[in-house]
Amino acid sequence: EDKVVQSPLSLVVHEGDTVTLNCSYEVTNFRSLLWYKQEKKAPTFLFMLTSSGIEKKSGRLSSILDKKELFSILNITATQTGDSAIYLCAFEPRDSSNSGKLIFGQGTTLQVKP
Amino acid sequence: KAGVTQTPRYLIKTRGQQVTLSCSPISGHRSVSWYQQTPGQGLQFLFEYFSETQRNKGNFPGRFSGRQFSNSRSEMNVSTLELGDSALYLCASSLGTSNYEQYFGPGTRLTVT
């Protein structure tokens, strides 16, 4: 059964720290991996990764995918209190019978203290 | 461009009743996927519609159904509500062909009493 495992499940850091969130997956047929940030409402899209070894960056956030070892990491540098949220990792299966379906991990709850 | 909208935002229903939730995708997006989010199970896929056709369905009972209209707006219906149906119901839209980035709406918080 396809699944996504995120670690750690929760994390408390102080402003200015750098954090690394992990996402490993076991899938039979892989199209892409996506990262979302969820505060009190809807998940907000961060990154979509399809190619191994290519880093995607947006401000203080970056992410990379390793398709050989089946994992992805999300880095946040110089954390701010506004980064406090649940970070969700999801993958999209490739086969057409699974169209429109994302399989999510449990999420990592990040709390950034002032 | 306007984002994904969902109505209503909050709903309280009684066991045994039925409920209909609505989702309007981003303009130009033809795919709408529905998810249920609970503290215990996380985000779980319900079904996906593309051009008025259900293309994919998750492991939920037949009480959960949906449809999509010609303007890509989608509705989901839950009949004979159970306490365990209390959850945040999220819809996500995407182009649905070649680019599958999904963008989520704010969700409908359903409470069943």
Side-chain angles (χ1 to χ4, degrees):
Chain A
E1 184 186 331
D2 296 335
K3 68 175 183 178
V4 182
V5 177
Q6 292 186 244
S7 64
L9 292 181
S10 65
L11 194 54
V12 180
V13 301
H14 287 92
E15 274 192 312
D17 288 348
T18 293
V19 298
T20 299
L21 309 183
N22 302 290
C23 173
S24 65
Y25 58 93
E26 297 172 19
V27 309
T28 51
N29 219 344
F30 174 91
R31 180 192 297 274
S32 60
L33 187 140
L34 297 90
W35 283 96
Y36 289 88
K37 175 184 181 183
Q38 185 173 27
E39 296 170 89
K40 291 193 175 166
K41 40 190 182 175
T44 304
F45 173 80
L46 294 175
F47 298 111
M48 183 166 110
L49 304 153
T50 56
S51 300
S52 200
I54 297 177
E55 185 182 47
K56 290 222 172 172
K57 269 183 85 78
S58 176
R60 296 176 294 102
L61 277 67
S62 64
S63 183
I64 197 160
L65 175 67
D66 185 326
K67 287 169 85 169
K68 184 178 175 187
E69 300 297 330
L70 306 182
F71 77 88
S72 175
I73 60 172
L74 175 69
N75 275 322
I76 308 174
T77 58
T79 51
Q80 304 170 355
T81 54
D83 296 326
S84 296
I86 299 172
Y87 290 85
L88 295 161
C89 167
F91 82 85
E92 181 179 23
R94 177 181 291 280
D95 57 282
S96 59
S97 66
N98 273 316
S99 65
K101 176 180 182 178
L102 293 179
I103 299 175
F104 283 85
Q106 327 92 294
T108 293
T109 301
L110 173 65
Q111 183 184 359
V112 181
K113 292 187 170 181
Chain B
K1 222 181 220 186
V4 180
T5 58
Q6 290 186 246
T7 57
R9 295 292 310 279
Y10 302 92
L11 209 45
I12 300 175
K13 289 286 188 178
T14 305
R15 266 183 305 175
Q17 288 185 312
Q18 76 164 15
V19 67
T20 299
L21 313 181
S22 180
C23 172
S24 292
I26 292 170
S27 177
H29 284 190
R30 293 163 65 191
S31 168
V32 174
S33 297
W34 287 90
Y35 295 85
Q36 180 194 67
Q37 187 174 32
T38 59
Q41 299 297 318
L43 266 155
Q44 292 190 291
F45 174 78
L46 281 156
F47 29 65
E48 186 247 5
Y49 285 87
F50 179 83
S51 291
E52 302 179 66
T53 300
Q54 185 182 88
R55 288 199 300 190
N56 199 357
K57 189 175 184 341
N59 295 327
F60 279 82
R63 300 185 296 107
F64 291 82
S65 63
R67 58 178 176 167
Q68 187 180 35
F69 302 94
S70 58
N71 62 358
S72 294
R73 189 177 71 85
S74 177
E75 288 181 347
M76 70 163 277
N77 183 278
V78 189
S79 61
T80 320
L81 284 165
E82 301 177 359
L83 294 179
D85 297 332
S86 295
L88 180 66
Y89 290 88
L90 293 160
C91 78
S93 80
S94 76
L95 289 170
T97 55
S98 75
N99 182 341
Y100 293 87
E101 290 174 16
Q102 292 189 12
Y103 296 89
F104 284 84
T108 295
R109 172 74 62 185
L110 172 65
T111 302
V112 182
T113 61

